[in-house]
Amino acid sequence: MEIKLLVDSGNSQVKWVVLFRKHPGANLLATSARVDVKTVLRRNKQGFFKKLILKSIESFEKYSTRDFKLLNMKKAVSVCIASVAPNALNKLVVEELGQIFPQQSIRFICTEDNHEILTDSNHKFIFKINRKNPEELGVDRWLAMLGLREHIVRKKLQSAFILSVGTATVLDKITIKKSERAVHTQEVIHEGGYIIPGFSLMERSLEFLTTKLETTKYQPSEFPSTTVESSLSGICIVQAAISFITQSSTPIFLNGGNLDKFLTAWRLTKKLLQKNNNIIVDPWLVFKGLNQLADRHPSHHYSPDFLQNS
């Protein structure tokens, strides 16, 4: 039995994917879930996060009823956590996971420059970060870049953008080139990007104008006539407009918790600007990157010192 728990801990939400394989050669099964950070922190005394994780894992019990016991599960599990959240949340998540799994099974993933991935004996990817302090790149942005690997292979990409729409909206530029030093080696380079406040942050910044704003179920419209609608539509257009600074033919891989909001905004903005671009929705980019690292190191096993310095 093989179980991988991949956790993406953000500023607004904690998201996770559980991958389950009953035995080598069996089909890989998966389930996913998410919860608001505020809910986790508010209900931490109830073991709330632990219960959610156990519920996700126990959903596979029907596929492996004979050997699906907690003892076997502990031996089989690998837990990888990518976090841009405050230490208070990191400690809570690890403490509750530590009540289920051995401490040595729980690892934090950190951003690395010149990270290598071998896909087979003839093909190597090297992931690079083009900045003075590469370790400062958010781990979620780095993992999304790693998650592009299968798209690079399938689409033979030479360049791409990653657009993450979460607490912040982030547009990253990625270039792909063949290495001059080694045959069958591709370099995937993070060239930099733009960060703007996400939907919720923009909504809160305009609350002084009117009652509480909420774009969740709002359909933006062309030049609306009320203050609330003007604010909400303006937020939507600004969010979507960042995608149109790219070359129209270069693919933009879209991921993040505000996908539906963004796509609604993008349709109107495309019409208003009379422009088009190449949006490809892949909500699993970060988890694809995490999965590539689940059986690898370097990473950091949990320790109080690590959390204190992170």
Side-chain angles (χ1 to χ4, degrees), residues 117-125 182-186:
I117 293 178
L118 285 171
T119 56
D120 55 53
S121 59
N122 291 322
H123 202 157
K124 179 192 292 185
F125 285 90
V183 181
H184 305 305
T185 296
Q186 286 181 284

Side-chain angles (χ1 to χ4, degrees), residues 136-290:
E136 292 182 356
L137 181 72
V139 68
D140 51 345
R141 297 168 72 185
W142 180 68
L143 288 170
M145 177 174 70
L146 267 61
L148 279 181
R149 182 179 63 84
E150 66 178 51
H151 293 291
I152 294 170
V153 172
R154 192 165 59 245
K155 301 178 186 296
K156 302 187 184 329
L157 300 177
Q158 295 181 333
S159 62
F161 290 92
I162 298 174
L163 182 54
S164 302
V165 287
T167 305
T169 297
V170 184
L171 180 69
D172 287 321
K173 181 180 180 182
I174 309 295
T175 59
I176 302 103
K177 63 181 183 180
K178 292 182 179 178
S179 173
E180 297 177 355
R181 293 176 295 174
V183 181
H184 305 305
T185 296
Q186 286 181 284
E187 295 179 350
V188 184
I189 306 166
H190 189 285
E191 301 285 10
Y194 298 100
I195 302 176
I196 63 173
F199 282 90
S200 295
L201 291 173
M202 284 193 174
E203 288 161 15
R204 289 200 290 271
S205 73
L206 291 178
E207 284 178 0
F208 71 95
L209 289 175
T210 182
T211 55
K212 186 176 180 180
L213 300 170
E214 181 69 50
T215 57
T216 303
K217 298 180 180 179
Y218 176 71
Q219 292 291 326
S221 56
E222 296 183 41
F223 299 100
S225 58
T226 71
T227 301
V228 171
E229 291 181 343
S230 294
S231 299
L232 292 173
S233 291
I235 290 167
C236 288
I237 288 170
V238 169
Q239 290 292 317
I242 195 171
S243 70
F244 290 97
I245 68 172
T246 66
Q247 294 180 348
S248 60
S249 59
T250 304
I252 303 169
F253 292 91
L254 182 66
N255 72 104
N258 287 323
L259 279 175
D260 291 340
K261 283 185 182 182
F262 181 87
L263 289 170
T264 299
W266 174 76
R267 294 183 190 101
L268 174 62
T269 307
K270 179 172 68 169
K271 177 182 176 183
L272 291 172
L273 293 178
Q274 296 184 351
K275 293 180 67 176
N276 204 352
N277 52 21
N278 185 10
I279 295 282
I280 299 171
V281 178
D282 187 344
W284 306 108
L285 271 184
V286 171
F287 287 109
K288 287 177 180 177
L290 257 179

Side-chain angles (χ1 to χ4, degrees), residues 22 84 112 116 186 229 250 278 303:
K22 184 176 179 180
V84 295
E112 298 172 56
E116 296 185 3
Q186 286 181 284
E229 291 181 343
T250 304
N278 185 10
S303 72

Side-chain angles (χ1 to χ4, degrees), residues 40-53:
V40 173
L41 293 174
R42 186 175 67 248
R43 301 179 63 179
N44 69 309
K45 293 182 180 179
Q46 306 168 25
F48 178 67
F49 184 69
K50 171 187 172 182
K51 292 175 183 176
L52 291 177
I53 295 298

